[in-house]
């Protein structure tokens, strides 16, 4: 008897993606994304398009910053799904090292997912860090 794997839900995809990032498993991280992919990241260029470019960002930018002891934990996850698409929001506790010192940031996260043959995959990621209007913005 052949047993088939049930397609992943949006929440399953997101939780597996978070666990993969925390484990620094780039292959598993990239499994959560569809192509085409559009990312509005908290750092770097205004936008990144495509899985290949975003893979580079994880490997060459995030993982070195994150280090072996950084944090990556999602909380307050809310998923709204219907048909072939899903939208999710949450807060992401993210830590790494800057200037030899540990730092922690809480980011806002919004994800758009679409149905694929393997379940729901991320097609859009937007992360941002709150800023204060009291801070001087230079332009």
């Amino acid at each position: 008897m052949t047993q088939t794997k049930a397609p992943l839900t949006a929440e399953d995809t997101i939780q597996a993606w978070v666990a993969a990032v925390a484990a620094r498993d780039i292959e598993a991280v990239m499994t959560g994304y569809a192509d085409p992919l559009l990312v509005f990241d908290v750092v770097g260029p205004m936008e990144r398009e495509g899985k290949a470019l975003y893979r580079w960002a994880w490997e060459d930018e995030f993982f070195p910053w994150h280090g072996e002891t950084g944090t990556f934990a999602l909380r307050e996850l809310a998923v709204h799904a219907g048909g072939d698409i899903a939208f999710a929001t949450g807060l992401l506790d993210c830590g790494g090292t800057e200037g030899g010192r540990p730092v922690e940031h809480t980011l806002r996260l919004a994800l758009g997912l679409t149905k694929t043959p393997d379940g729901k995959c991320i097609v859009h990621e937007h992360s941002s860090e709150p800023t204060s209007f009291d801070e001087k913005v230079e332009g």
Side-chain angles (χ1 to χ4, degrees):
M1 180 163 96
T2 303
Q3 188 174 16
T4 59
K5 183 175 148 187
L8 295 175
T9 66
E11 187 167 352
D12 292 338
T13 298
I14 295 165
Q15 295 296 353
W17 171 75
V18 169
V21 172
R24 300 171 46 103
D25 181 347
I26 190 63
E27 297 305 326
V29 169
M30 298 314 296
T31 299
Y33 294 111
D35 214 353
L37 170 68
L38 177 62
V39 176
F40 298 154
D41 209 349
V42 71
V43 296
M46 184 71 69
E47 63 184 59
R48 300 175 200 252
E49 291 188 56
K51 283 177 74 168
L53 183 59
Y54 202 39
R55 179 187 181 110
W56 177 86
W58 283 110
E59 290 178 314
D60 291 356
E61 296 173 350
F62 182 81
F63 288 148
W65 174 84
H66 187 246
E68 297 294 325
T69 59
T71 57
F72 195 83
L74 182 61
R75 57 189 168 90
E76 298 182 32
L77 177 63
V79 177
H80 306 278
D84 291 348
I85 62 170
F87 177 78
T89 58
L91 297 177
L92 189 58
D93 295 321
C94 191
T97 303
E98 294 175 11
R101 298 176 57 180
V103 294
E104 291 277 337
H105 301 279
T106 297
L107 307 177
R108 299 174 286 211
L109 179 67
L111 299 170
L113 297 93
T114 191
K115 184 178 178 182
T116 70
D118 297 321
K120 295 278 198 291
C121 287
I122 301 165
V123 291
H124 179 66
E125 176 185 329
H126 186 148
S127 56
S128 63
E129 186 173 21
T131 61
S132 169
F133 283 114
D134 294 335
E135 297 174 12
K136 182 179 177 184
V137 178
E138 296 188 29

